Amino acid sequence: MAGQSASQRTHRYDAFLSYSHAADSAKADHLRRGLQNFARSSWRQLRALRIFLDNASLAANPGLWPEIERQLADSGAFILLACPRSADSEWVRKEINWWRAGPGARRMLIVVTGGELTWDHGTGDFDWERTTCLPRTMAGMFSDEPRWVDLRWMSEQDPGSLRDSRFQQCVADLAAPLHDRPKEDLIGADVTRQRRTRRLVRGALAVITALAVTAGLGWVNAVQQRDEAQRQALLATSRQLAATALNLKDGNLRLASLLAIEAYRMQQSPEAIATLNRLSTDSPHLVSMTSSAKDISAIAFSTDDKAVAVGDEGGAVAVRGADGRTLRARTSLPGRITAVGFSTDGKRLAAGDDKGNVGVYDLTRKTLRRLAPLPNGVSSLGFGMAGQLAVVDEAGTVALYEESGKKVRSKRRGHSGKVTVFQNVGSHLLVRDGVGGGALYTVPELRTVLNSDEFVLPAGQYVQAVSNSGHCFGYLKFGQLISTGLPKRKGHESLAGTCPDFPALPNEEARSLALSDNGRMAVGTASGITVADAQTKGETGRLRKLTGVGRPSLLKFSDTGSRLVSAHGRTVALWDFGQFSRTAHAHGLSLSDDQTMIHSPALATGPDGQVAWSNLMQGDPFDKETNLHVWSPKRRGLLVGGDALLYDALAFSPDGRTLYAGTGGEVQSWQVQDTRLVKRHTVTFSRRQDDYRDPVMIAPRADGTLVITTDDGAVHVADPSAQRTRIAVPRGTGDPQRGLLSSLSDDGRTAAVENTKGAVDLYDVDSGRKLQSVRLDGEQVNSLALAAGGNALFLEGSKGTFARWDLDEQRFRWQSAEPNGARVTASADGRTVITLSDGGALSRWDADTGDRLGGPDIPLPLRTLSGIGGIGEHTGFMVDGTGTLWTATEGGEVLSWDFSVNSWIEGLCRIADRNLTAAEWRRYVGTIPPPRPTCG
C-alpha cells in the first residue's frame, strides 16, 4: 500500500488503529509513530505509512461515530490493540463490528498489549475460556489462526525508544502486510536509510556544534528560567484546583473529585494529596454516584437491599446492584416514570408512567410485559407475597393484577396512592395518600374495610412522606416532624401507627422527606441531606449530615432503613448507614474485649496479604478460646493457635511461612500450614527468669535469625536453632515499672531504643555499637518508628511535636508543631507514615515535608469492657508492604484501610462516574482540555 504513490492509493489511511484510551493511549501513539517512520524511502519523505489515530487525526466534530465510520471506510487495514480494557470498551467493539461487516478478518491485524490470547485448533476459533484480551463478538471471525504481535512487554507509562530492537521487530511484522513487501526487505531498506541519514547527520553536526556551543550557555539559562516559571504556574494551578475542590465537595462531590485528581496530576504537592484524602474520607456513608440520561423521577430498593431501580423523565428504567455501579437491567415505558417497585423475591420489577402505562420486567429472562393501562398516570404500585400486583393512579383508581399479568379487579374513586402495600399476609391492600388519609381493601375483592379522608397537612412550608409499609405518615414543618396514623380496625392492628419522635432539625429549608419503618428520617435541604434517628428514652436521637450531592429532589429508604437512595437532577446517590468509611474494608473479623485493662492487639503483616493478630475473637467459632490468628484474602477461614493469654509482639518470616509470637520472656515460632498453626520452636531471653521482660518488636532476618527488643531497652539476637537469645544491646533500665520504647528496621540491622534520660539511642545490632543519639528538646518521646531501611526515625513527643530524623545526615529533616498526641507506624520503605491519636483519628503525613495529609477515624466498637482511654489506645495498627494500613480494635474488628494516593484516585473516580467536560476544564483550569480523560 505504502509503495504506491498518492494518486494510486485507494484509501486515505493505510491502517486504522483501534484501542482503549484508558489502557493503551501511549502505546497507540508510539506504534503510530513507529509505523510512520519505519522504512521511509528517504529523509525527505514525511511518513512511510498514514495511520489513523483518533486523538492525532480526528478533528472536532459533534457527530463522533459517523466521523469514525468515515475514517474506517477510508482505511486499508485495521490494527487492534487487544487487552482486557479494550475488550470491554463499547467503542472498540463498535469499530470491530463495523470492520467485520465490511472488509472482514483478512485485513485485520492484532497487537496484544495485555491479557491472554489462545487459539483452539479443535474448534478453529479463539479459546474463549482462556482468551481475555478480545471481545466475544469476534467469535467465528477468523477461519485460521491469525498471526499476532506481542507488545505486552512494553510499559504504558514509558514505552521506550522508537529504535528499540524488540519494538522494531514488532513494527516490521505489522508494516510488511501494509507495504505488501517481505519483512526482510523492509528491514534492509530501513537499515540502509538509517546509514545514509547518519552520514548526513554527522556532517551537519560538525557545523551545528560550533554554533550550538555559542548559543548553549544562554539557552541553558533561559530553559532553567522557563522550567521554573512553568513549575510555579503548575503549582499555582494545582493549589487553585485543590482549593476549589474543597469548596465544592459538600454540594458537588463528583466535580470536586475530578478537580482534586487533576490538581494532583499537575503537581504532587502536599496540598493536592491532602485534598484527595479529604474527599476520600468525607461522606463516609456514600457508596456510589451514577448518572441518568434524563432527570430522575422514581426510585426504589429491592426488599433485600441488593438492588435499586431508577426511573427517569424520559421513560427509562435502570436496575443497579447494591454498589450502584453494576447495571443489571434496563427497560422503558412511553411516558415519564412515576413509580417503580420490586417483587418480594426480587425477580420482577414493576414500573408505571404518567400516561397510565404499567409494565412488569422479568429480571431473570430480561423481558418486559405490558399490562392493561390505567385511566390516569400511575401514582404508586406494590407487589404481594403471592406475586399479585396492585397499581393506583392519580385519580384513585386501584387495579389488581394476577402474577400472570391478567387484571383481576379494578376499583374507582379511591385514594391517590403515595404508598401501595399488601398487608396481613396479602389478604388486604393498604393505600396511603399524601395528605394523611388512606384506605384498606380486601384482596382480591377490593372491598373497602377502611376509608379515611383525614387531611392533616398545614398551610404552606411543609414536606410530607409515607414509609414503605404505610405505617408511618408525617410532615415536616419548621424542623419538627408531626405524624399521624389511620384509625385502628379490629383484626388489622398492623394497619398503621404513628411515627416515633425525632429531634428538631437545624433551621434549614426542607425540600424533600423520607421516613423508614425503623425510626429514621431523611430530609433533603439546600446543603445536602440530614438524617435523624428516632428519639428513645434517655436518648435525644442522632443527627447526621450527608454531603456531596446538593439539594436532592427524591429520597427513599430501603425496607430495613439501613440504606438510602437520593436523586438530584440526573444524579443518583446510594448511601449505606452500616458503612463507616469509604476507605476502610471490613473482613468479618470481629474481636472481643474480655480484658478490663486497656490493650491494643499485637499485629503483623506478611506477604500475599497475610495479617496476624493476638486477641480473642467475638463469638469464638472454635472449641476453645484462641489468642493467635492468621488470615489472608487467599485463604478460606482463619488459622488459629497460641498457648499464651496475650502476645505482645508478632512478625512473619520473609517467606510468610512462619509466624513469630513474643510473650513474657520468650518468642514462639508457629508454622503457617494450610489448616492450622503448628508450634515448632521456642527461644527464651538470656536473663534470670525473675528479670524477664515483655517483647516490644521482632524483626526476622532472611537467614532465620531473630532480632528482638524488650521493654527494658535490651536488644536480643537469636540464631535459627538457638534455645536462648544473646544480648546485643544491654538493657537500659532495671525498674520493672518503667518500660522503654524501641523499634527495629525491617532488616533487623538497626535498633532505636529510648533511654532513661528521654533521648533515643540508635544502635548497629550486629556490633552492638551506638551510632548516634536523638533528642526532642524539652519533650518526652511518646512513640517512635524506624523506616526506610533504618535511615529514617519518626518521633512523636509529649508536647505534640512530630519529627523525622535522618540517620545519614544526622539531623532533623523536619519537625511539625501541629498538636498530635499519637502513636506512629511507618511502612518499611518510609513512604507511608501514619499516626493514631488516643481519640481514634488516623492521619497520614508527607514523609518528605512533614505536612499532615489527614485521614479518617477508627469506628467506635459496639462493646468494650476496658475502662478509661480513647479508642486509639484499644487499637493496634501497622502498614504492610503495599502501603495498606491494618487496624485491630478490641471490641471492634480487623480492618484494612486505603492510604495510597492511587487507591484514593480510584475510589474518587468510582464516585465521579464520569470525566471533566471540555467546558468544565476551560472554566476551572483555563486552558485547552488535554486528550487524556481524568478517569479512564
Side-chain angles (χ1 to χ4, degrees):
M1 302 177 204
Q4 299 171 334
S5 66
S7 61
Q8 294 173 318
R9 286 179 176 168
T10 58
H11 299 92
R12 180 182 179 189
Y13 294 101
D14 295 294
F16 180 101
L17 260 177
S18 178
Y19 66 102
S20 165
H21 285 254
D24 292 327
S25 293
K27 290 181 183 179
D29 184 65
H30 204 63
L31 187 60
R32 177 182 68 89
R33 290 189 287 131
L35 288 169
Q36 290 179 161
N37 292 333
F38 187 77
R40 287 185 293 169
S41 59
S42 71
W43 64 271
R44 294 186 299 272
Q45 186 182 11
L46 183 61
R47 58 180 67 90
L49 293 169
R50 289 182 62 87
I51 307 297
F52 176 82
L53 182 70
D54 51 6
N55 283 341
S57 309
L58 197 62
N61 193 311
L64 183 56
W65 176 244
E67 180 65 19
I68 291 291
E69 287 186 304
R70 282 193 288 273
Q71 306 307 330
L72 283 164
D74 214 3
S75 299
F78 186 96
I79 301 176
L80 171 64
L81 269 60
C83 69
R85 298 287 289 273
S86 67
D88 293 336
S89 170
E90 180 181 352
W91 281 98
V92 172
R93 287 198 298 267
K94 290 176 69 175
E95 291 165 357
I96 292 173
N97 292 339
W98 188 98
W99 194 264
R100 182 174 185 175
R106 63 186 180 85
R107 297 167 70 184
M108 174 180 282
L109 304 174
I110 299 175
V111 179
V112 178
T113 63
E116 298 295 330
L117 188 150
T118 306
W119 182 263
D120 188 341
H121 293 282
T123 61
D125 199 353
F126 295 107
D127 185 343
W128 294 107
E129 294 299 322
R130 300 170 61 187
T131 297
T132 61
C133 63
L134 298 177
R136 285 185 176 263
T137 54
M138 291 180 65
M141 186 172 180
F142 292 87
S143 57
D144 297 310
E145 180 178 5
R147 184 179 179 187
W148 51 277
V149 176
D150 192 348
L151 270 186
R152 288 176 290 189
W153 54 269
M154 180 182 287
S155 169
E156 171 68 9
Q157 290 73 29
D158 182 16
S161 169
L162 292 176
R163 306 310 304 176
D164 184 287
S165 59
R166 289 185 298 173
F167 180 65
Q168 287 285 290
Q169 288 294 324
C170 295
V171 169
D173 285 335
L174 295 172
L178 299 179
H179 284 276
D180 198 20
R181 293 175 62 188
K183 174 181 174 181
E184 293 76 9
D185 291 353
L186 284 178
I187 293 176
D190 188 65
V191 171
T192 300
R193 181 188 63 79
Q194 288 184 54
R195 290 173 178 171
R196 186 166 56 245
T197 302
R198 200 174 291 121
R199 288 194 296 269
L200 291 172
V201 168
R202 288 196 186 104
L205 282 176
V207 177
I208 294 172
T209 300
L211 299 173
V213 171
T214 304
L217 296 176
W219 176 81
V220 168
N221 185 50
V223 168
Q224 290 176 341
Q225 293 180 359
R226 180 206 63 188
D227 290 346
E228 179 61 20
Q230 290 177 345
R231 192 188 70 82
Q232 291 296 332
L234 283 176
L235 179 60
T237 303
S238 172
R239 287 173 172 170
Q240 178 184 348
L241 289 176
T244 303
L246 291 176
N247 287 334
L248 291 174
K249 70 179 181 66
D250 289 341
N252 193 343
L253 183 59
R254 305 179 77 187
L255 176 58
S257 299
L258 296 172
L259 295 180
I261 294 169
E262 291 296 348
Y264 174 77
R265 287 179 174 168
M266 285 186 178
Q267 195 71 256
Q268 296 180 13
S269 63
E271 296 92 341
I273 297 174
T275 301
L276 287 174
N277 179 75
R278 178 75 180 276
L279 268 61
S280 297
T281 54
D282 271 10
S283 296
H285 301 305
L286 180 61
V287 175
S288 67
M289 300 173 76
T290 53
S291 297
S292 176
K294 301 286 185 180
D295 284 352
I296 309 302
S297 55
I299 46 181
F301 277 101
S302 61
T303 55
D304 60 3
D305 291 4
K306 293 183 178 180
V308 63
V310 179
D312 66 27
E313 301 273 359
V317 180
V319 178
R320 297 186 177 274
D323 61 359
R325 294 178 294 274
T326 305
L327 183 63
R328 292 187 177 179
R330 189 182 292 276
T331 187
S332 63
L333 292 176
R336 170 180 173 268
I337 303 299
T338 53
V340 288
F342 289 90
S343 60
T344 55
D345 60 7
K347 295 181 179 180
R348 292 187 298 157
L349 174 75
D353 66 16
D354 62 351
K355 298 180 180 180
N357 297 298
V358 180
V360 176
Y361 187 83
D362 189 312
L363 294 167
T364 303
R365 299 177 180 177
K366 309 295 184 184
T367 57
L368 177 69
R369 180 175 60 203
R370 296 279 291 274
L371 307 184
L374 273 69
N376 300 281
V378 174
S379 60
S380 64
L381 49 81
F383 280 99
M385 295 180 64
Q388 68 270 48
L389 174 68
V391 185
V392 180
D393 72 8
E394 296 169 349
T397 300
V398 181
L400 188 63
Y401 302 86
E402 291 179 343
E403 186 174 3
S404 63
K406 178 183 177 181
K407 184 187 287 188
V408 180
R409 196 90 55 189
S410 180
K411 183 180 184 69
R412 299 181 184 274
R413 298 187 306 277
H415 289 258
S416 174
K418 186 83 172 177
V419 167
T420 298
V421 60
F422 286 84
Q423 290 196 334
N424 299 330
V425 198
S427 64
H428 291 79
L429 182 70
L430 174 66
V431 178
R432 290 296 303 261
D433 58 32
V435 297
L440 185 69
Y441 306 105
T442 60
V443 175
E445 301 84 1
L446 294 183
R447 178 176 57 85
T448 302
V449 176
L450 167 71
N451 187 5
S452 172
D453 292 321
E454 182 180 8
F455 183 90
V456 300
L457 297 178
Q461 299 293 319
Y462 69 87
V463 289
Q464 84 283 359
V466 184
S467 65
N468 293 352
S469 70
H471 291 179
C472 177
F473 169 84
Y475 66 87
L476 189 73
K477 185 167 184 176
F478 301 135
Q480 187 67 45
L481 181 79
I482 309 299
S483 63
T484 184
L486 294 175
K488 297 286 186 179
R489 285 292 184 270
K490 186 176 182 180
H492 304 289
E493 283 71 17
S494 64
L495 178 66
T498 57
C499 300
D501 293 329
F502 289 96
L505 299 184
N507 187 21
E508 289 188 89
E509 185 177 358
R511 291 294 185 178
S512 54
L513 177 67
L515 298 170
S516 75
D517 289 306
N518 66 338
R520 187 165 279 163
M521 174 175 66
V523 183
T525 69
S527 60
I529 304 170
T530 298
V531 176
D533 293 336
Q535 295 184 141
T536 57
K537 188 175 182 180
E539 299 289 340
T540 58
R542 181 181 179 187
L543 288 177
R544 279 173 283 194
K545 196 75 173 179
L546 310 184
T547 60
V549 295
R551 177 186 295 168
S553 54
L554 292 173
L555 293 168
K556 188 77 170 181
F557 279 109
S558 65
D559 286 351
T560 62
S562 63
R563 294 173 69 88
L564 177 74
V565 59
S566 64
H568 175 213
R570 299 181 179 184
T571 300
V572 179
L574 277 175
W575 311 84
D576 184 353
F577 300 110
Q579 174 182 283
F580 53 84
S581 173
R582 287 188 287 115
T583 59
H585 305 281
H587 307 283
L589 307 170
S590 299
L591 306 186
S592 68
D593 184 7
D594 295 335
Q595 303 290 331
T596 56
M597 65 179 183
I598 296 175
H599 165 66
S600 57
L603 266 176
T605 61
D608 299 325
Q610 288 174 300
V611 61
W613 64 94
S614 172
N615 201 90
L616 293 175
M617 300 294 291
Q618 185 67 36
D620 197 306
F622 307 101
D623 294 337
K624 63 176 183 177
E625 294 182 336
T626 53
N627 282 284
L628 203 55
H629 300 82
V630 174
W631 177 89
S632 77
K634 296 182 179 180
R635 180 184 294 114
R636 293 184 178 179
L638 288 170
L639 302 185
V640 300
D643 53 18
L645 179 62
L646 287 175
Y647 290 93
D648 302 288
L650 301 176
F652 280 100
S653 61
D655 61 8
R657 296 177 181 176
T658 303
L659 176 66
Y660 299 101
T663 186
E666 66 183 30
V667 173
Q668 302 170 357
S669 300
W670 294 80
Q671 186 175 355
V672 181
Q673 297 187 351
D674 291 337
T675 58
R676 60 194 178 119
L677 295 175
V678 179
K679 189 176 181 181
R680 293 300 189 192
H681 182 64
T682 298
V683 58
T684 58
F685 300 152
S686 293
R687 189 160 300 152
R688 298 193 318 271
Q689 187 170 0
D690 293 342
D691 292 335
Y692 282 167
R693 299 298 290 263
D694 293 332
V696 175
M697 190 171 184
I698 306 170
R701 295 181 177 179
D703 62 0
T705 303
L706 294 181
V707 180
I708 308 145
T709 62
T710 51
D711 64 358
D712 59 356
V715 180
H716 299 251
V717 178
D719 295 329
S721 59
Q723 300 299 315
R724 295 178 68 84
T725 66
R726 55 183 172 85
I727 296 179
V729 177
R731 65 180 182 176
T733 178
D735 183 357
Q737 304 300 318
R738 172 73 189 277
L740 297 177
L741 302 172
S742 60
S743 180
L744 292 168
S745 61
D746 189 53
D747 59 7
R749 302 293 178 186
T750 307
V753 182
E754 179 193 15
N755 63 36
T756 56
K757 298 179 180 179
V760 176
D761 297 324
L762 293 149
Y763 293 92
D764 175 77
V765 172
D766 290 331
S767 64
R769 180 172 56 91
K770 184 191 293 189
L771 302 173
Q772 50 195 276
S773 189
V774 185
R775 181 183 296 276
L776 285 174
D777 290 339
E779 294 188 53
Q780 181 74 28
V781 175
N782 282 343
S783 182
L784 57 87
L786 267 174
N791 292 323
L793 175 65
F794 297 94
L795 301 167
E796 203 280 325
S798 57
K799 297 182 180 179
T801 300
F802 189 45
R804 173 179 176 172
W805 176 265
D806 191 298
L807 274 70
D808 288 337
E809 300 177 5
Q810 298 192 27
R811 67 178 181 88
F812 283 111
R813 176 79 65 86
W814 46 259
Q815 295 187 63
S816 173
E818 291 187 62
N820 191 37
R823 291 180 290 145
V824 59
T825 186
S827 60
D829 59 11
R831 296 179 180 178
T832 304
V833 182
I834 297 172
T835 58
L836 172 62
S837 71
D838 293 344
L842 290 164
S843 295
R844 181 182 173 184
W845 297 75
D846 188 301
D848 293 325
T849 65
D851 291 305
R852 187 201 292 265
L853 306 179
D857 293 337
I858 298 287
L860 292 173
L862 296 176
R863 61 196 72 83
T864 180
L865 294 178
S866 301
I868 62 172
I871 184 176
E873 296 185 58
H874 298 252
T875 300
F877 71 126
M878 74 173 303
V879 182
D880 67 15
T882 66
T884 298
L885 176 73
W886 289 86
T887 63
T889 305
E890 57 174 350
E893 57 185 318
V894 178
L895 302 170
S896 58
W897 302 76
D898 294 331
F899 263 90
S900 69
V901 172
N902 288 338
S903 67
W904 293 341
I905 291 176
E906 183 180 343
L908 291 177
C909 279
R910 287 197 298 267
I911 292 297
D913 194 42
R914 67 177 181 89
N915 292 301
L916 281 175
T917 66
E920 288 170 338
W921 183 276
R922 292 188 179 93
R923 177 181 178 183
Y924 293 103
V925 184
T927 61
I928 298 174
R932 55 133 180 93
T934 302
C935 298

